[in-house]
Amino acid sequence: MRNQLDIFDHDPARLAKANRDAAEHALTDVQFSHKVRQERAAHYTAEAERLEALAALCSPTQAA
């Protein structure tokens, strides 16, 4: 349960998933050359990895 309302809903896990989806879509964008498609997909994948690491830091730890 959150104690503070997140009015912008900046959930790192949700944003990471959106970036993974964008990376998949970037590979099929026909308006870009193959090289640009690869660069765009790499950018979105790197951002997703960054956000996943942030989500891992924010997730509650389990007590042993």
Side-chain angles (χ1 to χ4, degrees):
M1 183 172 147
R2 295 180 181 173
N3 292 332
Q4 182 177 354
L5 176 64
D6 186 0
I7 61 172
F8 298 107
D9 193 25
H10 291 138
D11 177 25
R14 184 184 57 80
L15 294 172
K17 182 183 177 331
N19 275 281
R20 291 268 181 209
D21 294 343
E24 288 180 28
H25 179 71
L27 291 172
T28 60
D29 271 343
V30 295
Q31 74 251 29
F32 297 109
S33 67
H34 177 72
K35 180 182 176 190
V36 173
R37 287 194 304 262
Q38 293 295 324
E39 290 172 353
R40 287 169 52 88
H43 168 76
Y44 288 124
T45 301
E47 184 66 10
E49 290 170 356
R50 183 186 73 81
L51 289 164
E52 288 165 350
L54 183 61
L57 290 174
C58 296
S59 67
T61 58
Q62 296 180 358

